[in-house]
Amino acid sequence: MNKAEIQGVKTLLETPKDIVIIPHKNPDGDAIGSTLALWHYLKKGQHKVTIVAPNDYPSFLKWMPGEAEIVKFDYERDHAKKILKASNVIFTLDFNDLSRIGDMEATVAACEATFIMIDHHQQPSNYAKFMYSNTTMSSTCEMVYHFITFLGDEDMINAEMATCMYTGIMTDTGSFRFKATTSTTHRIIANLIDKGAENASIHNAIYDTNSLSRLQLLGCALKNLVVLEAYNTVYITVSKEELIRYDFKKGDTEGFVNYGLSLKGIKFAAIFIENLQEPYVKMSLRSKGDFSVNEFARAHFNGGGHTNAAGGRSEASMEGTVKKFTEILTEYKSVLS
Ligand code: 5GP
Ligand code: MN
C-alpha cells in the first residue's frame, strides 16, 4: 500500500463505520485467521464489525478466538444480507475476485460500501477502492500484520490477534517451509509469539486432531495415487463412495495432495475429489519450481491461486476429468520432464 492509500484508509476508519469482513468460500486457516485478526483489531475502534463467511469451515478451525461470532451466509442468509446491505466498509480477505465467494457474490457486488482488499493471490480483479495486493506474501495473515503496522497500531496486537495471525501464516506456509516464507515472515512470527501466540498449542489444535476415519481416508487416497513418470506428475482420486465409506467431514482431505508432491522427483501433483452435494469434481493442484499451477488451473479448470498452489473444478465425471487432465498434460511435457 502506498502512503496515499494508507492515509485514505486511516481517514475512512477515523469515524465509526458499519464494517463487514469477508473470507473466501470454503475458508481455510489463512482466511479465518486473517478475518478474525482484523475483526479483533477493528473492534477496538468505534466500529460495528461483523465477519460474514460464505459457508462453513472445518472443525479444526473451530477453536479460534472469536470464531463463534462468524455469520455464515448459507445458514443465515436473511440476517447476513441485512448486515451486508447496512455496511459502509467491506474488507475482502484472502481472495481477489468476487466469484470466490459463491452465492454471496450478487449481494456483495450490489453493496455501496467502500471495498478494501487484502490478498496475496495472483491476477486481482478491480473491485476494491483500496487494494492491498501482494503476490509475494506468504499469507493474508502476514499482510494483516503489515496492514495494522501501516496504520501505526502494531502495539495494539494482543494475544487473540496474534493467535489468529500465527495460525494463518502457519497453515499457508506449510508450517514455515514454502518458498514465500521469508526472513520477514519469521520476524513477524517471533513478534506474534512475544505478543502471546502459543506456537505449540496452535500447531496441536490444527494438526493433531485427526479422527481414525480421516486417517483411513488418507490411506485410501494414497492407494489411489497414480504416477505419470513421463511428466513427473502424480494424481490422486477420491470418489463420493470413498468419502461416504470413511465418514467424510469438511476439511478431511486438506493436505492430501502434498503427499503426492513429496514423492522424489515429482514436479506436479493433483488431487481430484468428487463433490458430495453437487455434480462436479473439485481439484487441488501443487507444483515445485517454475511450473505454474495457477496458469494451469485458469487455462483448463476454471480456477486459480498461486504459482505452486492452486485449485479448480471440472464439471465432467471423475473418469472424464482424469482423461482431460492426462490429455492436457501432453502440452506441458517439455516444462515438466
Ligand atoms: P486448495 O487447493 O488448498 O483448495 O487451494 C490452493 C490455493 O488455490 C488457495 O490459495 C486457494 O485460495 C486457491 N484456489 C482454490 N480453489 C480455487 C478456485 O476454484 N479458484 C481460484 N481462483 N482459486 C482457487
Ligand atoms: Mn492465503
Side-chain angles (χ1 to χ4, degrees):
M1 269 191 143
N2 64 34
K3 280 200 176 132
E5 284 172 314
I6 295 166
Q7 196 47 56
V9 173
K10 261 190 183 163
T11 307
L12 183 71
L13 298 177
E14 255 163 24
T15 48
K17 293 286 183 313
D18 278 12
I19 302 176
V20 176
I21 310 173
I22 306 175
H24 56 78
K25 190 176 175 187
N26 297 323
D28 57 6
D30 190 33
I32 295 296
S34 58
T35 51
L36 281 171
L38 186 67
W39 180 76
H40 283 291
Y41 165 69
L42 291 170
K43 267 173 19 114
K44 288 186 172 291
Q46 302 280 298
H47 315 292
K48 182 171 174 280
V49 199
T50 315
I51 298 173
V52 180
N55 63 345
D56 203 4
Y57 39 86
S59 58
F60 62 76
L61 298 174
K62 291 192 175 166
W63 57 271
M64 296 182 68
E67 168 278 314
E69 308 267 330
I70 295 176
V71 173
K72 288 158 203 138
F73 186 83
D74 65 348
Y75 290 159
E76 306 166 70
R77 218 163 260 248
D78 292 342
H79 178 49
K81 280 186 179 173
K82 222 181 260 174
I83 296 168
L84 280 162
K85 279 188 186 139
S87 69
N88 39 32
V89 176
I90 293 180
F91 281 88
T92 67
L93 264 57
D94 203 36
F95 67 93
N96 58 22
D97 187 285
L98 294 181
S99 64
R100 296 279 291 128
I101 55 177
D103 290 350
M104 266 174 80
E105 180 174 359
T107 310
V108 171
C111 288
E112 296 199 347
T114 303
F115 282 74
I116 304 174
M117 175 202 296
I118 306 180
D119 180 65
H120 65 140
H121 293 89
Q122 292 178 348
Q123 286 122 313
S125 297
N126 195 15
Y127 61 83
K129 177 165 185 196
F130 297 105
M131 255 171 83
Y132 179 26
S133 163
N134 184 339
T135 59
T136 70
M137 286 281 165
S138 71
S139 54
T140 301
C141 278
E142 180 169 343
M143 298 177 76
V144 167
Y145 188 98
H146 290 300
F147 181 76
I148 294 171
T149 308
F150 293 154
L151 297 179
D153 289 332
E154 196 176 358
D155 289 346
M156 276 170 59
I157 296 174
N158 60 17
E160 287 171 321
M161 294 179 221
T163 299
C164 296
M165 285 186 268
Y166 186 102
T167 304
I169 297 174
M170 179 186 80
T171 54
D172 255 31
T173 58
S175 298
F176 321 111
R177 72 184 197 279
F178 298 153
K179 214 165 62 183
T181 314
T182 62
S183 57
T184 302
T185 315
H186 281 285
R187 275 184 210 101
I188 289 173
I189 281 296
N191 292 344
L192 293 174
I193 292 174
D194 287 344
K195 289 174 187 294
E198 293 183 11
N199 50 328
S201 51
I202 292 172
H203 195 278
N204 181 59
I206 295 287
Y207 294 115
D208 297 339
T209 52
N210 274 319
S211 60
L212 180 60
S213 60
R214 185 199 179 229
L215 287 184
Q216 288 168 335
L217 181 63
L218 171 62
C220 169
L222 293 179
K223 273 197 186 142
N224 293 348
L225 187 149
V226 175
V227 182
L228 303 169
E229 245 174 87
Y231 303 97
N232 293 307
T233 295
V234 300
Y235 70 85
I236 294 170
T237 56
V238 182
S239 70
K240 242 185 198 181
E241 289 69 30
E242 289 163 339
L243 293 173
I244 293 165
R245 193 187 317 151
Y246 295 108
D247 192 26
F248 172 79
K249 300 273 184 310
K250 209 175 183 64
D252 275 358
T253 54
E254 208 132 313
F256 283 13
V257 66
N258 295 318
Y259 286 91
L261 206 61
S262 73
L263 270 174
K264 195 170 177 183
I266 291 300
K267 292 181 183 164
F268 183 19
I271 187 166
F272 307 121
I273 304 166
E274 279 181 346
N275 189 288
L276 281 176
Q277 278 86 36
E278 292 162 73
Y280 69 85
V281 175
K282 165 79 187 133
M283 64 187 69
S284 284
L285 308 170
R286 300 291 185 268
S287 68
K288 277 193 179 143
D290 298 334
F291 178 63
S292 171
V293 286
N294 168 51
E295 299 296 344
F296 186 91
R298 274 174 196 273
H300 307 291
F301 290 106
N302 200 17
H306 311 282
T307 304
N308 296 130
R313 61 153 76 190
S314 158
E315 313 295 335
S317 65
M318 180 65 92
E319 210 185 0
T321 302
V322 168
K323 187 163 177 280
K324 180 176 170 187
F325 178 76
T326 47
E327 279 168 8
I328 292 168
L329 268 188
T330 57
E331 293 170 32
Y332 294 87
K333 187 153 195 208
S334 58
V335 201
L336 288 167
S337 53

